[in-house]
Amino acid sequence: MHALVIDDSRSMRMILARILRGAGFEITEAGHGQEALDHLTGGLRPDLCLIDWNMPVMNGYEFVTEVRKVREWRDITLMMVTTESEHSRIVAALAAGAHEYVIKPFTADAILDKLELLGLTHDGAIA
Amino acid sequence: MTAPASADAQQGAVLSPDDVRTLTEEVWSTFLGHTAPFTAAEARAFTPTWAASVTVKGEWNGMVSMQLTGVGAHRLTCGMLGMDPESDEPSEADVVDAVGELVNMVGGNVKSLVPGPSQLSLPLVATGQFAHGSDQQEIVRLDFAWGDEPVSLTVHSGSPAVSKVNR
């Protein structure tokens, strides 16, 4: 499985990548939504995108909206991982097409539990 | 931790020092808990080497800022990036990123406690310390030690305009 980790913080991308690699994912990183979109238009087909909300150039909500406009990308699972915790933001992101919403700070178990709920783990990948 | 400078201020009344302490401890323990203890400490004067802030604009306006020593920033960065603080030397860009992300998480959680809707800015990180606008009021100040290094975290309400002072 392949995950695209989208966050303007390199340290946060590293933390998320570490968790996902432990669950058997290959990782591609992007520093903002536009860079992530460029990966997708370039042919990358991740199973999962982890998406921060507040980023320069293109924020996470805009990225989710753009992804959901493209039929061929409908199979990509989108999970927001962000400090944005206003109820209206959560509702907006889910309405735009995000499958799950995790609020920072998170634990590795919180991320892994969400992946399990989404059916994105395989036997033995998570210990 | 010291009491709010003006707890009855309209904007300050929405946040308590305990709230800020709880969420700051959560951020610290989640991402740095294994590297050094987080302990409450009496405020003590120190010359900050790094300062970071995020602003909240909207129904509630304010700023969350954090100041720490060079050693503290080094350890914090190593903790965030999985580096060995004894042998690894994070770059300045690494420090800016790690310190900025921590204040971003604290600021985002502060935002969840104040009236919304509002917008959270991207973090601003600088060497030195921040000067706050004269129309801003300090409503929460949290002084703690992480390992032996002092860290100061403040929440100001009012206009989020900020002047950056580089040394």
Side-chain angles (χ1 to χ4, degrees), chain A residues 56-71:
Chain A
V57 186
M58 177 186 284
N59 69 36
Y61 175 78
E62 292 166 338
F63 173 77
V64 169
T65 302
E66 290 301 312
V67 168
R68 287 301 176 236
K69 288 177 182 174
V70 181
R71 189 178 188 84

Side-chain angles (χ1 to χ4, degrees), chain A residues 7-15 18 52 54-56 83-86 88-89 103-107, chain B residues 26-27 30-31 79-82 94 97-98 101 104-105 108-109 111-112 116-120 122-123:
Chain A
D7 197 304
D8 57 327
S9 166
R10 190 171 77 87
S11 52
M12 188 52 60
R13 294 198 304 270
M14 286 184 64
I15 289 166
R18 202 180 303 150
D52 187 21
N54 292 308
M55 296 181 286
T83 58
E84 280 291 350
S85 55
E86 276 181 24
S88 61
R89 295 290 181 100
I103 296 170
K104 298 176 186 175
F106 53 81
T107 62
Chain B
E26 187 180 354
V27 169
T30 301
F31 289 102
M80 289 282 284
L81 295 176
D94 289 337
D97 185 276
E101 183 59 21
N104 176 56
M105 282 189 278
N109 281 271
K111 176 175 174 287
S112 73
S118 57
Q119 298 277 343
L120 185 70
L122 295 174

Side-chain angles (χ1 to χ4, degrees), chain A residues 35-108:
Chain A
E35 186 182 350
L37 271 185
D38 291 344
H39 280 301
L40 297 182
T41 54
L44 182 71
R45 290 292 178 273
D47 302 283
L48 168 71
C49 292
L50 298 189
I51 312 151
D52 187 21
W53 189 300
N54 292 308
M55 296 181 286
V57 186
M58 177 186 284
N59 69 36
Y61 175 78
E62 292 166 338
F63 173 77
V64 169
T65 302
E66 290 301 312
V67 168
R68 287 301 176 236
K69 288 177 182 174
V70 181
R71 189 178 188 84
E72 302 90 85
W73 297 346
R74 285 188 180 168
D75 289 343
I76 301 173
T77 299
L78 304 178
M79 185 192 299
M80 302 296 294
V81 182
T82 173
T83 58
E84 280 291 350
S85 55
E86 276 181 24
H87 181 68
S88 61
R89 295 290 181 100
I90 297 172
V91 170
L94 296 175
H99 293 86
E100 276 292 351
Y101 203 103
V102 176
I103 296 170
K104 298 176 186 175
F106 53 81
T107 62

Side-chain angles (χ1 to χ4, degrees), chain B residues 60-82:
Chain B
W60 185 88
N61 292 297
M63 179 169 67
V64 178
S65 56
M66 180 172 72
Q67 300 187 111
L68 65 169
T69 63
V71 173
H74 172 93
R75 288 182 186 165
L76 182 153
T77 304
C78 288
M80 289 282 284
L81 295 176

Side-chain angles (χ1 to χ4, degrees), chain B residues 15 20 60 63-64 110 137-140 153-157:
Chain B
L15 272 181
V20 178
W60 185 88
M63 179 169 67
V64 178
V110 166
Q137 290 184 312
E138 182 180 292
I139 56 171
V140 174
L153 191 137
T154 55
V155 181
H156 285 74
S157 68

